[in-house]
Amino acid sequence: MDTYTEEFRANAPIYMTFDKLRAAVKASSARNLEKPGKIYFKDDHIFVVEFMKGVHVLDLSNPKSPQNVAFIEIPGCVDIAVRYNILYADSFVDLVSIDVSDVTSIKEVARVQDALPYMVPPTGNNYRQLDVNREQGVVVDWRVETIRQELEPQYYPIYPTWRWMHNDWAFFGSGNGVGGSSGSTVGVAGSMARFGLYNDFLYAVDISTCYFFDVSAPDNPVAAGKQNVGWDVETIFMYDNHMFLGTSSGMRIFSLEVPLAPLLVSNFWHVTACDPVVVADGYAYVTLRGGTMCGSNVNRLDVIQLSENYKNNTLVGSFDMVSPYGLGIDGSVLFVCEGDAGLKVFDATDKTRIKQNEIVRFPFIKAYDVIPINGLLFMIGDDGFYLYDYSDIKNISLMSHIPVG
């Protein structure tokens, strides 16, 4: 019988055993930002996720001179949230609780094992991805190998094929905090968050599922169930006892009257695009970004007036953008991150004329997400962490910058 072979380059997984994963969380000295991701503000500190590696701790006691004071090693970390003095973070399949009350003595205090879906890091190339054996641990990286294998004759030459499959992708991100001034129970996350805190519960969303954790004992979280919440979920925002989910096809609103059984209240559909959401004073602000995995070529800002019961919501403004990512709102001041096009600031008093009421733009930065609070704007981008003073809206100024390494 004839045999046929094919040769190709492929990504082979590099594993970390579960034992090593569960002994890996530790505090270390401050290190340079390299691939900064989600940000979270709590009690004069900014926590910056270093994608898949851990969390930088920045001390903002003196906003004009923020200090990079520590790094928390957390393999597989993408998202964080802080309640009281406990930082919650994903570590591949686990949820870890870390005491950050003393940044000179940071330590893990609890872990919920296998609480989150199995995830793998991006390969960074277009080669095929070989099968993953989950019993060997978590995938921490990939190595490119040349593969030579036989093909079953019935599939060749009419239908040449190969033996491989995609792994499950759980694109976790951080969640949005509620409240957020210094000294409050919980902090404030950026708009790209996938972790959300509400009362005694932490919510973590992936593509289609929301995972619940009881954090009534802050240093001892307990898995409390999960629920399907649709598809293509990207971000989460908590507001007025409701959970707002940004998805690639629209905004979904859930009531949290029963915290462990979110009830779908309404959907607001839009074209396929990446979709972070923030909500304030009865309005939802949504950025849509097209291209790459987000789909379509639409780039815009939508403003949606929310009805009292959140069931009948109305689009009141839609504005073309360049390539919007995260956004933030404080009173009538709206901040929009435009990726390589920088940061833009708008007067959002008139929801129908936001684009015409641009206050200022900072074009020579790479803006990803922001947190505005009490006249200070914390912004993260590919080129580092920025802190702006917007207490005088007519004279917004850069106070400090911590660049990537």
Side-chain angles (χ1 to χ4, degrees):
M1 179 180 296
D2 293 336
T3 59
Y4 303 91
T5 60
E6 68 169 351
E7 185 174 286
F8 57 92
R9 303 280 278 172
N11 293 289
I14 299 173
Y15 297 97
M16 173 185 286
T17 66
F18 288 111
D19 287 342
K20 288 185 176 180
L21 172 70
R22 287 158 184 161
V25 172
K26 62 180 180 180
S28 61
S29 57
R31 63 178 67 174
N32 290 336
L33 279 67
E34 295 178 2
K35 293 183 179 179
K38 311 295 178 65
I39 54 175
Y40 201 97
F41 172 72
K42 179 71 165 65
D43 294 347
D44 293 330
H45 287 87
I46 281 281
F47 300 91
V48 180
V49 173
E50 184 70 36
F51 183 66
M52 301 297 289
K53 293 183 178 181
V55 178
H56 301 275
V57 183
L58 309 183
D59 186 341
L60 301 183
S61 299
N62 179 3
K64 294 182 179 180
S65 180
Q67 300 297 310
N68 188 351
V69 296
F71 184 75
I72 311 171
E73 298 181 24
I74 313 172
C77 178
V78 180
D79 282 283
I80 56 174
V82 184
R83 185 172 188 262
Y84 293 106
N85 294 313
I86 301 299
L87 181 146
Y88 303 102
D90 55 341
S91 180
F92 287 104
V93 295
D94 295 347
L95 178 78
V96 294
S97 302
I98 300 168
D99 187 337
V100 293
S101 56
D102 181 357
V103 296
T104 65
S105 182
I106 295 169
K107 58 183 180 295
E108 178 181 333
V109 293
R111 177 181 292 259
V112 185
Q113 296 185 6
D114 301 312
L116 302 171
Y118 195 95
M119 59 175 286
V120 297
T123 61
N125 59 53
N126 294 320
Y127 293 133
R128 303 176 189 178
Q129 184 177 303
L130 299 181
D131 291 356
V132 168
N133 182 350
R134 300 184 183 190
E135 294 182 358
Q136 292 191 37
V138 295
V139 178
V140 294
D141 206 348
W142 304 91
R143 62 175 176 270
V144 178
E145 296 182 351
T146 299
I147 306 296
R148 185 177 176 83
Q149 65 181 18
E150 292 187 0
L151 296 175
E152 297 181 13
Q154 63 265 34
Y155 293 116
Y156 186 86
I158 300 175
Y159 299 109
T161 186
W162 50 85
R163 303 176 189 278
W164 71 292
M165 69 177 188
H166 288 288
N167 299 296
D168 296 332
W169 283 84
F171 293 103
F172 262 84
S174 73
N176 237 301
V178 291
S181 61
S182 180
S184 63
T185 300
V186 302
V188 181
S191 64
M192 307 297 281
R194 285 181 182 254
F195 276 14
L197 287 163
Y198 172 74
N199 289 348
D200 289 334
F201 299 95
L202 170 69
Y203 300 80
V205 292
D206 71 352
I207 294 174
S208 62
T209 306
C210 186
Y211 299 82
F212 313 133
F213 299 91
D214 184 334
V215 292
S216 53
D219 59 352
N220 186 31
V222 177
K226 61 183 179 180
Q227 178 179 318
N228 183 281
V229 287
W231 191 249
D232 291 338
V233 178
E234 297 168 344
T235 62
I236 185 173
F237 192 95
M238 303 302 196
Y239 174 80
D240 188 29
N241 304 324
H242 286 73
M243 178 171 68
F244 292 74
L245 301 183
T247 81
S248 64
S249 56
M251 177 181 67
R252 296 192 182 103
I253 305 175
F254 289 81
S255 168
L256 295 177
E257 184 176 354
V258 181
L260 295 182
L263 177 65
L264 179 63
V265 175
S266 64
N267 290 296
F268 189 90
W269 303 113
H270 57 61
V271 298
T272 301
C274 291
D275 177 6
V277 178
V278 295
V279 184
D281 301 322
Y283 289 87
Y285 301 83
V286 182
T287 55
L288 310 181
R289 186 178 76 262
T292 63
M293 64 178 295
C294 298
S296 82
N297 292 312
V298 173
N299 292 283
R300 74 174 189 240
L301 165 72
D302 283 352
V303 183
I304 301 159
Q305 185 174 16
L306 304 169
S307 65
E308 186 174 348
N309 60 8
Y310 298 108
K311 293 182 178 180
N312 302 300
N313 309 306
T314 306
L315 180 68
V316 295
S318 188
F319 312 96
D320 291 338
M321 293 285 162
V322 177
S323 182
Y325 285 77
L327 70 166
I329 182 77
D330 182 9
S332 61
V333 185
L334 176 67
F335 303 88
V336 179
C337 295
E338 286 263 54
D340 290 344
L343 171 69
K344 296 179 182 178
V345 186
F346 302 92
D347 182 343
T349 303
D350 184 347
K351 316 300 181 189
T352 66
R353 295 180 57 83
I354 289 178
K355 185 72 176 289
Q356 293 92 321
N357 293 327
E358 180 177 313
I359 297 171
V360 67
R361 67 174 63 185
F362 300 91
F364 302 112
I365 54 178
K366 297 181 179 180
Y368 172 68
D369 203 6
V370 290
I371 299 175
I373 187 167
N374 298 335
L376 295 178
L377 179 74
F378 312 122
M379 195 203 78
I380 197 71
D382 288 349
D383 46 5
F385 170 76
Y386 293 79
L387 198 161
Y388 292 89
D389 180 355
Y390 67 94
S391 56
D392 179 358
I393 200 61
K394 296 181 179 180
N395 186 30
I396 300 175
S397 60
L398 176 65
M399 296 181 68
S400 52
H401 173 216
I402 298 178
V404 297

